[in-house]
């Protein structure tokens, strides 16, 4: 698993509630990413981080925020969950040794009811 | 805008045959490409990568071909095995940004 852990692995939440997903790495990678995966859309980048407190938007960032207060952890927050945010969320890490290839976590299945 | 796509959503092959999965990309500035394999219930796993200064790269039973003229990428799997059944994604990176843009994926089914 390349030293990357996502929590929780599964979550059901109600519309309008805030939700935070956590990604933890032990590999000291500089870059961390949050993707969502939906049928017919593949993997779409939500936000990514290129260092502590350095983050940027991806292609589907609306309704999401992120924080990275230390190298190991990258948090994804759904400020007010909507049914359209029901998805599988993947965290990824990259950058060690200057390599671009990303290593993925096992995913978090989020259901918004 | 930048995009990465796949020609075939599902590919069915006989065990032992070779498989070819195709991918088209639109960003001529992309200079690094990766193929990932995703098994059911798991995150994508790195298979092989290639830089734009190469046309071909070989791994164990896999070969990636890059045709920059027509912005086309392919993954060849030799002697396809049941364990190769999965969804395969191509991904591209441009401008050394460390952002990977993924295609929508191709499902490979291996018939016994």
């Amino acid at each position: 698993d390349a030293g990357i852990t996502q929590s929780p692995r599964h979550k059901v939440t109600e519309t309008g509630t805030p939700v935070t997903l956590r990604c933890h790495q032990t590999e000291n990678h500089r870059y961390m990413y949050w993707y969502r995966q939906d049928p017919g859309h593949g993997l779409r980048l939500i936000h990514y981080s290129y260092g502590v407190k350095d983050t940027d938007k991806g292609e589907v960032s609306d309704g999401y925020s992120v924080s990275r207060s230390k190298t190991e952890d990258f948090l994804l927050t759904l400020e007010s969950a909507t049914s359209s945010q029901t998805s599988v969320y993947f965290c990824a890490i990259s950058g060690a040794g200057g390599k671009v290839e990303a290593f993925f976590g096992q995913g978090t299945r989020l259901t918004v009811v | 805008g930048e995009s990465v796509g796949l020609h075939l959503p599902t590919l069915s092959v006989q065990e032992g045959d070779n498989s070819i999965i195709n991918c088209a990309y639109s960003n001529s500035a992309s200079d690094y490409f990766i193929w990932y394999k995703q098994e059911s219930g798991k995150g994508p796993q790195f298979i092989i990568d290639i830089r734009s200064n190469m046309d071909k790269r070989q791994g164990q039973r896999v070969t990636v071909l890059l045709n920059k003229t027509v912005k086309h990428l392919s993954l060849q799997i030799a002697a396809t095995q049941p364990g190769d059944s999965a969804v395969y994604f191509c991904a591209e990176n441009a401008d050394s940004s460390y952002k990977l843009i993924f295609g929508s994926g191709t499902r490979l089914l291996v018939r016994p």
Side-chain angles (χ1 to χ4, degrees), chain A residues 9 31 33 35 37 40-43 45 48 57 59 90 94-95 98-106, chain B residues 32 34 36 38 41-46 49 51 87 89 93 96-105:
Chain A
R9 294 293 313 279
Y31 298 89
Y33 313 81
Y35 287 87
Q37 186 173 35
H41 290 279
L43 288 148
L45 182 64
Y48 71 105
K57 296 179 179 180
E59 50 189 318
F90 286 99
S94 73
K99 293 187 175 182
V100 180
E101 66 185 82
F103 300 95
F104 284 81
Q106 292 286 68
Chain B
Y32 179 66
I34 306 177
Y36 284 90
Q38 186 177 27
K42 297 183 179 180
Q45 292 179 294
F46 172 90
D49 60 357
R51 292 205 171 274
V87 176
F89 295 94
N93 169 257
S96 300
S97 67
Y98 285 86
K99 286 194 296 183
L100 285 174
I101 304 299
F102 283 80
S104 56

Side-chain angles (χ1 to χ4, degrees), chain B residues 18-44:
Chain B
N18 297 334
S19 302
I20 300 176
I21 301 172
N22 297 303
C23 177
Y25 64 95
S26 60
N27 186 357
S28 57
S30 292
D31 56 7
Y32 179 66
F33 305 87
I34 306 177
W35 280 102
Y36 284 90
K37 173 186 181 183
Q38 186 177 27
E39 297 174 290
S40 181
K42 297 183 179 180

